[in-house]
Amino acid sequence: MSLLDDRLRRPRRVALVHDWLTGMRGGEKVLDALCYLYPDAPLFTLVRIPGSVTARIESRRIVTSFAQRLPSAGRRYRSYLPLYPAAVELFDLDDYDLVISSSHCAVKSVVTSPRTVHICYCHSPMRYAWDQFEAYFGPRQVGRLKSRVLRPIMAALARWDASTASRVTRFVANSAYVAARIRRYYNCGSTVVYPPVDTEFYRPPARRAADPGFLIVSALVPYKRVDVAIEACSRLGVPLTVVGRGPEQPRLARMAGPGVRFLGWRSDEEVRELYQGTSGVLLPGIEDFGMVPVEAQACGAPVVALGIGGACETVRHGVTGILAEDGSVEAFTAAVDECRRATFDYDAIRANAERFSQDRFLRDFPAVVHDTMTSTVRPS
């Protein structure tokens, strides 16, 4: 990571806030970059599993909420969603000049003092409370009775989420797609700064020899629609490797045929090797941004993605991959088939990924912070 002007990097008293620390996914990779930019900032989070994130994140002072003391908090943290409004509002952030929240759930609603500048890097407005209730808490996922009980709870959570948007001084969105959702649900504008992808670590192999199989790297949760990819590969008779874990794994394993293998989570080095050797990486769900397709392209791998959401900003149809026309199994099967028959320019795929490098994030995000700090008038 390159050095930055200290005026931009280090406002006087800075705090970072992140929803939970339970594993290294896309949001935590953004958080890791924020920890690099603000090395002395303490980190506030709802729930933490020690050792689940990078050493850079783990090395700072970490303050957890009362949810940390609830039974099996590290495993059942999603079950405690209704308690998170109270938990985030109890964080004591009065002594900070700048608060940066990295939020996809509740922490964008932390309470700060009137003189504090609060910049929210928004990965997404709360999906399960807004437009993806059925994917997470529908009858098929949790049962009819539990779904019926949860619906008014999530509706109340959505109202709280919208009513607290004014606590943010400036929203930063991870994609134009998320910027539109921020406008729709919060009635707020935002600045787009794409997440940092380590295009130096994720790189093409010295010699590319792709196998005939496809790859998914994903948390196994409902909105990722991994079942669509499994069905598509089954229809085409092509192998599929699934990297990741999550509550959907038992159901997905039951529907998978002998051509599907589940590897669980793998190290970054192992994932890079899989990217380098696959015929294509599959992204069948709607992504807010999606770091996996950019990492894959940095390794020279084409991507088959649903042509909605962040993938439309990261995948160039016919050049770096294929965008499926809709979310049906039929459309995704056709897109996978088109990908395996196509010829791609791997240098062009790599060049597309370089638009989302770490250096660009480390330049653009501090510039937004500097602009916000210098243009916002706060009482002393």
Side-chain angles (χ1 to χ4, degrees):
M1 294 184 177
S2 58
L3 295 176
L4 298 167
D5 186 282
D6 280 350
R7 283 186 307 111
L8 298 184
R9 286 184 59 184
R10 297 187 179 96
R12 286 178 296 166
R13 291 171 295 182
V14 184
L16 303 177
V17 195
H18 189 73
D19 286 301
W20 45 70
L21 303 176
T22 59
M24 282 300 298
R25 293 175 281 273
E28 288 70 41
K29 291 180 180 180
V30 173
L31 177 63
D32 184 76
L34 294 174
C35 289
Y36 170 79
L37 290 169
Y38 305 100
D40 300 322
L43 173 59
F44 294 77
T45 190
L46 291 162
V47 173
R48 172 194 183 199
I49 299 177
S52 64
V53 290
T54 62
R56 179 182 287 119
I57 298 173
E58 295 275 359
S59 66
R60 69 197 47 243
R61 182 168 72 92
I62 299 176
V63 180
T64 56
S65 74
F66 69 76
Q68 182 71 32
R69 298 187 292 276
L70 297 173
S72 304
R75 181 171 52 85
R76 300 181 58 205
Y77 58 94
R78 290 187 180 91
S79 301
Y80 298 128
L81 277 171
L83 301 178
Y84 289 162
V88 301
E89 290 177 352
L90 288 173
F91 284 139
D92 183 2
L93 298 167
D94 286 349
D95 293 335
Y96 298 97
D97 303 306
L98 172 65
V99 170
I100 300 173
S101 59
S102 164
S103 181
H104 59 81
C105 182
V107 297
K108 76 108 176 73
S109 300
V110 292
V111 178
T112 62
S113 74
R115 62 173 177 77
T116 301
V117 170
H118 175 192
I119 297 175
C120 174
Y121 190 92
C122 185
H123 305 282
S124 171
M126 205 181 301
R127 301 180 190 96
Y128 15 81
W130 290 106
D131 56 342
Q132 294 186 22
F133 175 86
E134 291 296 330
Y136 282 89
F137 301 122
R140 178 180 168 188
Q141 307 303 328
V142 299
R144 189 178 301 277
L145 178 59
K146 189 173 182 180
S147 178
R148 185 177 298 174
V149 170
L150 285 171
R151 187 174 293 278
I153 295 173
M154 290 298 109
L157 199 58
R159 290 192 295 272
W160 171 83
D161 189 39
S163 69
T164 57
S166 61
R167 296 176 184 176
V168 175
T169 309
R170 185 171 188 173
F171 279 100
V172 179
N174 66 353
S175 66
Y177 176 70
V178 166
R181 298 183 79 229
I182 291 170
R183 171 66 69 184
R184 182 182 313 127
Y185 298 127
Y186 300 153
N187 195 29
C188 295
S190 59
T191 303
V192 176
V193 175
Y194 289 121
V197 177
D198 191 348
T199 53
E200 294 181 8
F201 176 83
Y202 293 103
R203 58 186 183 271
R207 184 176 180 182
R208 187 167 187 85
D211 67 30
F214 287 84
L215 173 69
I216 284 182
V217 179
S218 173
L220 304 183
V221 293
Y223 83 95
K224 296 289 188 178
R225 299 306 314 276
V226 176
D227 54 336
V228 171
I230 290 174
E231 180 62 26
C233 289
S234 175
R235 291 185 181 188
L236 294 170
V238 296
L240 175 65
T241 298
V242 179
V243 174
R245 288 197 181 96
E248 282 277 273
Q249 185 166 342
R251 183 178 76 87
L252 296 172
R254 287 194 298 270
M255 69 173 289
V260 181
R261 59 176 182 153
F262 293 86
L263 300 185
W265 288 117
R266 287 291 185 264
S267 69
D268 291 344
E269 289 77 13
E270 290 172 301
V271 171
R272 178 179 62 187
E273 186 175 351
L274 289 167
Y275 285 149
Q276 291 172 340
T278 187
S279 292
V281 171
L282 308 185
L283 198 77
I286 300 174
E287 292 289 335
D288 302 308
F289 171 75
M291 297 183 82
V292 164
V294 181
E295 292 171 353
Q297 290 173 85
C299 293
V303 174
V304 180
L306 177 60
I308 304 172
C312 295
E313 299 170 56
T314 61
V315 179
R316 297 174 59 197
H317 180 71
V319 178
T320 71
I322 304 297
L323 295 174
E325 292 182 356
D326 59 56
S328 67
V329 172
E330 291 74 19
F332 203 78
T333 301
V336 173
D337 192 39
E338 184 177 354
C339 179
R340 68 174 181 158
R341 297 174 187 277
T343 300
F344 293 98
D345 180 339
Y346 298 114
D347 290 335
I349 295 175
R350 165 72 186 184
N352 185 58
E354 289 172 342
R355 299 188 293 127
F356 307 97
S357 69
Q358 286 185 332
D359 282 345
R360 180 207 41 75
F361 178 87
L362 295 176
R363 179 188 68 243
D364 292 353
F365 185 80
V368 171
V369 172
H370 178 67
D371 177 68
T372 309
M373 295 292 289
T374 54
S375 62
T376 303
V377 179
R378 293 296 198 194
S380 58

